[in-house]
Amino acid sequence: MKILVLGGTWFLGKSIVAEALRRGWDVTTFNRGRSGHDVSEVHTVHGDRTKVADLNRLAAQGPWDAVIDTSSSEFPPRDVRLAAQALRDAAPRWVHVSTVSVYAGWPHHTLTEESEVLECPSDADESFGYTGADGSPTKYGFQKAGGERAVAEAFGDGVVFLRPGVILGPGEYVGRLPWWLNRASRGGSVLAPAPADQIIQPVDVRDVAAFALDQAAASTGGAYNLAHPEGMRFGDFLLACLAVTESNDHLVWVEPEVLIEHEVRQWTELPLWRTHAGVWSVDSSKAMAAGLRCRPLTETITDTWAWLRADGRPVDHPRWAEHGIAPEKEAKILAALASTS
């Protein structure tokens, strides 16, 4: 297989490149050369996907059997369309990393691939869309839906949409799992969002990478939700973080209404916590039938901690700073709870 990876230097893109090389595939990467590091074993092309001249120069170096786009989240639909149109004669297949946020019902309802997708034109700029009062739908979701439409218009039945919820693992740049691990390693009483038996469905970045490559080599198109089929109880997730960091922390489970009363921001201040009914109700049975395999999340936790301890440094990204409750705010909430108990 000969593939082109748009991105390819960090987190999912880097994992895709590593797995493709392990399979003996011929890999070209295209990026601006501003974040992460190019892998020496691949053919690297530097350029800007928003510039026609750079895209035409890239296309001239094809053809490829498939394009895998891991970098579209950084660009509005019109720029995704620009790349898709420039490369449609250079490859018959496009694997597009999207998100469950494209669904109109996320995070309120159980999702399948048949669920309604948000409406966004393929030529929309970065101003299109809005974020609802309760955090859904999101402008990000509208933008990603428009990106999907842009690719579909260019590649038709040759496009595959991968719609993950939360991706964790070594190299994570968002900072969800790294924050919980670093918090566990600090010790003391840890604010934990009840209920402890809430099932969460993150997927490991390496499992997403393997499935993306499988789909690049497949012959059919379509959309796939990517979520851990068994998931893991939030309580077990946090206990695993404590165990791997050899922490003596004590988890203080707090009901959602109390956290909301103390203005704890869902999804970011306590990463992975959100009260919406459908946030962890994503049906991934179609992807499982097509070959998605998800390792135990305890392995993801262990390997991410090993990466952090080995001075793992993600690329600089503004989303990292969004995650985690400030120590003084956590302490204030814990003190208030202790005074009323």
Side-chain angles (χ1 to χ4, degrees):
M1 282 287 291
K2 186 176 181 181
I3 64 169
L4 167 64
V5 179
L6 302 184
T9 60
W10 45 287
F11 202 39
L12 178 57
K14 186 175 182 180
S15 291
I16 287 172
V17 169
E19 175 62 17
L21 292 174
R22 189 191 68 79
R23 297 183 183 193
W25 291 12
D26 185 306
V27 181
T28 298
T29 58
F30 178 71
N31 55 69
R32 291 174 293 186
R34 297 178 184 174
S35 58
H37 300 285
D38 294 313
V39 179
S40 59
E41 295 90 339
V42 308
H43 175 54
T44 299
V45 180
H46 285 159
D48 188 332
R49 63 180 290 168
T50 68
K51 296 181 178 179
V52 173
D54 287 1
L55 290 169
N56 288 341
R57 175 170 53 84
L58 172 66
Q61 301 192 45
W64 299 275
D65 297 308
V67 176
I68 303 178
D69 188 0
T70 68
S71 65
S72 67
S73 63
E74 307 293 324
F75 300 93
R78 67 179 181 185
D79 289 337
V80 176
R81 185 177 70 164
L82 193 69
Q85 290 177 337
L87 295 170
R88 61 186 170 187
D89 293 329
R93 193 163 182 79
W94 183 293
V95 178
H96 192 74
V97 180
S98 186
T99 169
V100 292
S101 295
V102 300
Y103 291 115
W106 191 85
H108 299 284
H109 306 293
T110 297
L111 298 177
T112 72
E113 288 81 3
E114 304 305 315
S115 299
E116 179 187 359
V117 173
L118 295 167
E119 288 290 332
C120 178
S122 62
D123 61 349
D125 63 17
E126 58 276 1
S127 68
F128 189 91
Y130 64 92
T131 296
D134 69 343
S136 65
T138 63
K139 187 174 183 179
Y140 173 71
F142 280 105
Q143 293 278 312
K144 291 289 278 186
E148 285 193 5
R149 175 171 288 187
V151 177
E153 289 174 356
F155 279 78
D157 293 338
V159 64
V160 178
F161 298 119
L162 305 184
R163 295 171 178 162
V166 171
I167 304 176
L168 303 178
E172 184 196 336
Y173 66 92
V174 176
R176 295 183 176 107
L177 177 53
W179 185 83
W180 278 116
L181 287 165
N182 285 325
R183 174 63 192 89
S185 70
R186 290 207 312 267
S189 296
V190 178
L191 196 64
D197 60 358
Q198 169 67 58
I199 298 296
I200 61 175
Q201 297 178 283
V203 287
D204 190 288
V205 62
R206 295 161 293 186
D207 298 331
V208 176
F211 187 73
L213 292 172
D214 291 343
Q215 290 307 304
S219 59
T220 57
Y224 294 96
N225 295 335
L226 304 186
H228 203 290
E230 293 89 20
M232 187 178 196
R233 293 189 303 177
F234 210 149
D236 292 335
F237 175 86
L238 295 186
L239 289 173
C241 289
L242 299 184
V244 75
T245 58
E246 299 180 343
S247 172
N248 60 356
D249 290 9
H250 169 62
L251 298 175
V252 180
W253 291 97
V254 182
E255 294 301 321
E257 57 269 21
V258 177
L259 295 173
I260 292 169
E261 179 184 345
H262 284 276
E263 299 182 342
V264 177
R265 292 193 306 276
Q266 298 190 43
W267 208 232
T268 53
E269 284 195 299
L270 293 179
L272 307 179
W273 168 63
R274 198 165 185 174
T275 57
H276 300 76
V279 67
W280 298 117
S281 186
V282 179
D283 182 357
S284 60
S285 58
K286 180 181 176 184
M288 296 298 294
L292 174 66
R293 296 294 177 264
C294 293
R295 71 194 67 202
L297 285 168
T298 50
E299 183 177 331
T300 304
I301 293 167
T302 299
D303 292 349
T304 302
W305 180 238
W307 165 69
L308 287 171
R309 291 192 69 188
D311 198 27
R313 295 179 182 272
V315 296
D316 291 332
H317 198 281
R319 294 184 71 185
W320 183 278
E322 295 176 357
H323 289 85
I325 189 169
E328 56 273 17
K329 183 174 181 178
E330 180 185 28
K332 184 177 180 180
I333 296 171
L334 290 170
L337 292 171
S339 69
T340 60
S341 62

